[in-house]
Amino acid sequence: MARNRNSSHFTATLPIRFVLLVWISSLPSISLAYRPGEIVPMSRSGQYHGSRTVWHDVVGRHCPVFAVNKEVLMPITKPVGFTGADPYKLSFQIGHEKLYVPWLYVINRKSPEVPMIDFHLKYSGNDIHGVTAKVIDMPHQYIQVHQDIKKNYWNPQQWPKHIIVRYTWEETSEIDVTGGFYVLFGSGLLLSFMLAIYVLQSSKDKLEKFVRETVAETNPEGVAAKAE
């Protein structure tokens, strides 16, 4: 009898446990949340003439800072086997989410201007929602301030090269009315379904208990004989 009670209790509470599990799994991961001013980890890979480097972490001072617009001077080391005949390109992965930035041409990109990498990052709350990047010509006002960058960039013997990387952050709305409606509607259906199962299971257990007690009261001798 005790085993039946335990089994019935476990079965009755199973829907509630399932609902809690679904709810917990739907929560965003706390480990991926950022704080304003926190360094966002970044890694990069380079490719020259079909030879690609492994992903390696970028030094913290060259990484983006969450929700902070900034510019950094990033060094570009000389690729293995570099002859100047082919372009050299970089790719990046941003954040714990490893948001991928496709290849960006930074050396021998068939332009007379010094390149500059412009990152645009979108965020809301403590989460990064997207990142795009492109190579642009360094504005002339930058060149006037950083004359040495232009001089060293065009010197084939001067390595590492240095290029300016600009990080611009855009805050987006955290309110998604359509998405929120679907989440609430789906959660309501799920909870209603689980509650119905729980009520039916509880009613079944009470009904079986009532029938057993009624039978025992109306036929005590038969119950005693069966027990013997």
Side-chain angles (χ1 to χ4, degrees):
M1 183 67 69
R3 180 178 298 179
N4 291 335
R5 289 202 190 109
N6 292 335
S7 177
S8 299
H9 176 74
F10 176 80
T11 305
T13 58
L14 186 59
I16 298 178
R17 297 182 183 183
F18 180 77
V19 171
L20 289 176
L21 180 61
V22 171
W23 179 71
I24 292 174
S25 62
S26 65
L27 294 176
S29 175
I30 298 177
S31 62
L32 297 182
Y34 303 92
R35 297 185 301 272
E38 178 182 353
I39 293 177
V40 178
M42 179 169 69
S43 57
R44 88 182 190 193
S45 175
Q47 180 172 316
Y48 177 76
H49 196 62
S51 178
R52 184 178 302 180
T53 65
V54 297
W55 290 100
H56 66 273
D57 295 334
V58 175
V59 177
R61 63 177 177 272
H62 299 145
C63 293
V65 176
F66 188 77
V68 176
N69 296 334
K70 62 178 292 191
E71 296 169 354
V72 300
L73 197 59
M74 182 177 291
I76 306 296
T77 56
K78 185 176 182 179
V80 177
F82 183 81
T83 62
D86 298 311
Y88 180 55
K89 54 188 179 180
L90 297 175
S91 180
F92 297 88
Q93 289 181 343
I94 309 294
H96 303 298
E97 305 87 347
K98 295 188 181 300
L99 300 173
Y100 179 70
V101 176
W103 295 107
L104 302 171
Y105 289 86
V106 292
I107 305 291
N108 290 348
R109 63 187 187 101
K110 298 181 180 180
S111 173
E113 301 293 335
V114 177
M116 172 177 171
I117 300 179
D118 189 21
F119 282 91
H120 186 80
L121 304 102
K122 294 184 177 182
Y123 76 100
S124 65
N126 299 102
D127 302 311
I128 301 176
H129 291 292
V131 56
T132 58
K134 60 183 178 180
V135 177
I136 62 176
D137 295 337
M138 184 184 296
H140 291 289
Q141 61 266 29
Y142 283 62
I143 295 178
Q144 294 175 0
V145 177
H146 304 282
Q147 290 286 340
D148 54 334
I149 294 180
K150 180 178 180 180
K151 178 181 177 181
N152 294 336
Y153 181 83
W154 296 114
N155 184 351
Q157 306 301 324
Q158 180 65 45
W159 293 91
K161 309 292 185 185
H162 288 84
I163 59 175
I164 292 179
V165 178
R166 179 169 60 194
Y167 300 105
T168 304
W169 293 82
E170 177 187 355
E171 185 175 10
T172 58
S173 175
E174 293 186 87
I175 301 176
D176 185 356
V177 177
T178 303
F181 172 77
Y182 284 120
V183 170
L184 290 176
F185 182 73
S187 300
L189 285 179
L190 180 62
L191 289 173
S192 299
F193 177 72
M194 294 304 171
L195 182 61
I197 294 178
Y198 175 75
V199 171
L200 290 174
Q201 185 63 45
S202 300
S203 300
K204 180 182 177 182
D205 293 340
K206 292 179 180 179
L207 181 61
E208 290 178 351
K209 181 180 179 181
F210 173 76
V211 171
R212 287 195 302 268
E213 292 177 350
T214 303
V215 172
E217 291 176 358
T218 57
N219 191 15
E221 294 181 357
V223 175
K226 185 178 179 179
E228 292 177 357

